[in-house]
Amino acid sequence: EVQLVESGGDLVQAGGSLRLSCAASGFTFDDYTTGWFRQAPGKEREVVSCRHNSDGRTYYGNSVKGRFTVSSDNAKNTVYLQMNSPKPEDTAVYYCAAFRYYYYCSATTSRGYWGQGTQVTVSS
């Protein structure tokens, strides 16, 4: 059974920090790309990042570039999203997803395995 489980969402003050986790199981982790996405109420889904699990090459969306960092522990099949200097506009439900091919990692994708999401709220 394929599973992706996000955790770590919380209430955080602007300028603080938070780390989200995505624990994956049920597939060959190194053959996939992990995406982080977010969606705020009334807003379209956004790509936060797309990471090649095998070699760590990572793309960041413009809105988070320079503030958020993706890392992983491949032995644990886990990908992390380190959120530094979060802003109120970062408030959203954050999802991770796994894709067999990198190009499936896009805001409009209908592909992949998805987690349940975790709420991040940034207060000013």
Side-chain angles (χ1 to χ4, degrees), residues 8-107:
D10 205 351
L11 172 66
V12 62
Q13 287 190 311
S17 66
L18 194 66
R19 190 176 77 159
L20 308 184
S21 298
C22 173
S25 61
F27 60 94
T28 303
F29 185 76
D30 285 355
D31 288 345
Y32 282 72
T33 290
T34 298
W36 281 102
F37 300 81
R38 67 187 186 186
Q39 189 160 26
K43 303 292 184 180
E44 294 184 348
R45 185 171 64 193
E46 294 182 285
V47 174
V48 174
S49 65
C50 302
R51 180 181 179 86
H52 294 264
N53 292 344
S54 60
D55 61 19
R57 289 179 294 153
T58 306
Y59 160 87
Y60 295 96
N62 289 335
S63 63
V64 307
K65 197 171 300 180
R67 299 186 298 119
F68 294 4
T69 303
V70 176
S71 61
S72 66
D73 184 341
N74 286 33
K76 296 181 178 179
N77 290 357
T78 299
V79 176
Y80 306 97
L81 179 67
Q82 180 69 42
M83 304 172 60
N84 294 331
S85 301
K87 306 172 182 178
E89 53 262 45
D90 295 319
T91 294
V93 177
Y94 283 70
Y95 300 89
C96 67
F99 306 101
R100 182 60 182 84
Y101 300 106
Y102 177 86
Y103 64 86
Y104 291 156
C105 188
S106 69

